[in-house]
Amino acid sequence: MWNFVYEIHTDAAGPVIMKSRARISQSTDEDWENIPVSLLTSTPTGGNVPELEPVYLSFRKPARPSAKNALMGRNMMAMSAPMMAMMDSGNDAAMALEETVEMERIETEDAEVFSEETTTEYTLPGKKTIPSGTKGVMADLKAYELAAEYELLAVPKKDVHVYLAAKLKTKDLPSDIKGTAGVYLNGVYAGETAIAPDLTKETLKIPLGKAEGLQASRTEKKRRTSDALLKNQRTTEYVYELKLTNNRSTEATVVIQDQVPYSQEKTIIVEMKNNDQAEAADNGILTWKCAIGPKETKVLNLVVMDHYLMIILDAY
């Protein structure tokens, strides 16, 4: 048997190398020595063409499950969840990633790829040896070099840490890589990420881990609601302070994101007087790009006059 394993390699400066590999194993009790190897994406049994069955609509009173049946249902879900997880290809890929480091590497050159309507064949160059009864061996199939931009990103409303991420253009992503990929930064395993390109977005962000020596915080400094109603309105004022700290010995540029409520009701008006020169999107997301020197702390404010963000609510 074999399955895909994906890896992303970067040094956080140059291009991203995206690799597809094959995890190959066999348990015939006989070592396969010096054999030609071709890998197919289809199975010999083929597949059944799906058919639609009629869907009927009717009214009925749902039966209320007894306590015993409800308990049995929960137990069945508890037992079936692991089996469902084993059936999921994403979990297969994740399990394969955990064992990747322990596998023997048998190929460093690209495989020859031949695609037909229902299958793709990967032919490994030369002859290979695949021992029996092991965790398997890893074979390289294809490597892609993709241009990347790197940024330090902080969302202090959610997390105090600053994260390093690589930005790839969606149009540059290879169409044959979809699933869970292991991420390696300077050769060191940094975690996993899902490669599922959203064609409606221009870029895909690949998380590379927490950035050392940088921290961002968000503090509510004041909240005040007016007692008097003016024109049947009640006003609440919020004061937030965003603080970015650089404990590094070098300068850094950090993208900070926050948000203001996005009203979908005419009776709720959100008024932002001053956002400390943030770039504001239509959905309420605020973005700052801050250059911060070594051993420096910067403070950002959502302000109205004395750093206020005003939210006006109708009284009920």
Side-chain angles (χ1 to χ4, degrees):
M1 63 170 292
W2 76 279
N3 59 279
F4 284 109
V5 175
Y6 302 122
E7 293 181 2
I8 297 172
H9 293 260
T10 179
D11 60 1
V16 162
I17 306 300
M18 192 171 290
K19 297 182 178 181
S20 62
R21 290 178 172 170
R23 176 180 183 265
I24 310 170
S25 62
Q26 56 98 355
S27 56
T28 62
D29 295 329
E30 178 183 353
D31 292 342
W32 297 350
E33 297 183 358
N34 298 320
I35 60 169
V37 178
S38 291
L39 308 172
L40 298 176
T41 57
S42 64
T43 58
T45 56
N48 296 323
V49 178
E51 296 183 3
L52 292 174
E53 297 292 339
V55 176
Y56 301 100
L57 296 178
S58 62
F59 291 101
R60 69 179 180 86
K61 185 177 181 180
R64 185 173 181 178
S66 64
K68 179 180 179 180
N69 290 338
L71 179 60
M72 290 179 61
R74 287 196 295 270
N75 291 336
M76 289 176 64
M77 287 297 291
M79 289 189 296
S80 62
M83 291 186 288
M84 292 173 64
M86 290 297 293
M87 296 290 289
D88 181 69
S89 60
N91 287 319
D92 289 341
M95 291 171 61
L97 283 171
E98 294 176 0
E99 300 175 349
T100 297
V101 178
E102 304 175 11
M103 294 180 192
E104 180 186 352
R105 203 60 190 281
I106 65 172
E107 188 53 53
T108 57
E109 300 177 4
D110 283 354
E112 183 180 349
V113 182
F114 178 72
S115 295
E116 294 182 322
E117 290 185 357
T118 61
T119 186
T120 298
E121 179 179 356
Y122 298 88
T123 301
L124 304 185
K127 294 185 177 181
K128 312 303 172 190
T129 295
I130 304 176
S132 175
T134 65
K135 291 184 178 180
V137 293
M138 294 291 297
D140 289 348
L141 298 181
K142 191 77 174 176
Y144 304 88
E145 184 175 293
L146 307 177
E149 296 181 3
Y150 298 91
E151 70 177 12
L152 295 166
L153 179 63
V155 186
K157 182 180 179 180
K158 297 288 188 179
D159 196 336
V160 298
H161 296 100
V162 177
Y163 291 85
L164 176 64
K167 290 172 58 178
L168 307 178
K169 292 183 178 180
T170 306
K171 65 180 182 63
D172 293 340
L173 296 173
S175 59
D176 58 339
I177 295 185
K178 292 181 181 179
T180 303
V183 180
Y184 295 81
L185 177 60
N186 294 317
V188 178
Y189 180 71
E192 298 177 3
T193 188
I195 304 298
D198 184 351
L199 299 180
T200 64
K201 297 181 179 179
E202 293 185 359
T203 59
L204 172 69
K205 288 185 180 179
I206 305 296
L208 302 177
K210 298 175 183 177
E212 297 291 336
L214 294 168
Q215 188 171 1
S217 62
R218 181 182 193 263
T219 305
E220 183 179 307
K221 305 297 288 186
K222 185 185 296 185
R223 178 184 298 191
R224 184 176 61 188
T225 301
S226 60
D227 295 330
L229 296 181
L230 180 62
K231 295 182 179 180
N232 201 31
Q233 293 180 344
R234 175 170 290 159
T235 301
T236 302
E237 298 175 343
Y238 296 89
V239 181
Y240 289 101
E241 179 183 85
L242 309 180
K243 184 180 294 185
L244 177 64
T245 303
N246 180 12
N247 290 322
R248 297 180 173 184
S249 57
T250 57
E251 183 180 351
T253 299
V254 180
V255 176
I256 301 177
Q257 288 189 331
D258 208 298
Q259 63 185 152
V260 294
Y262 178 69
S263 176
Q264 294 180 306
E265 302 289 341
K266 293 182 179 180
T267 56
I268 303 176
I269 301 173
V270 179
E271 185 178 1
M272 183 168 52
K273 294 291 187 181
N274 192 330
N275 55 30
D276 224 343
Q277 299 181 339
E279 180 182 338
D282 294 337
N283 59 2
I285 303 297
L286 305 176
T287 303
W288 294 265
K289 191 171 185 179
C290 298
I292 183 170
K295 309 300 180 181
E296 183 183 357
T297 297
K298 276 195 171 182
V299 176
L300 298 172
N301 298 279
L302 304 178
V303 300
V304 174
M305 297 288 290
D306 294 327
H307 315 298
Y308 289 108
L309 172 66
M310 182 178 293
I311 299 180
I312 304 174
L313 305 176
D314 273 10
Y316 292 94

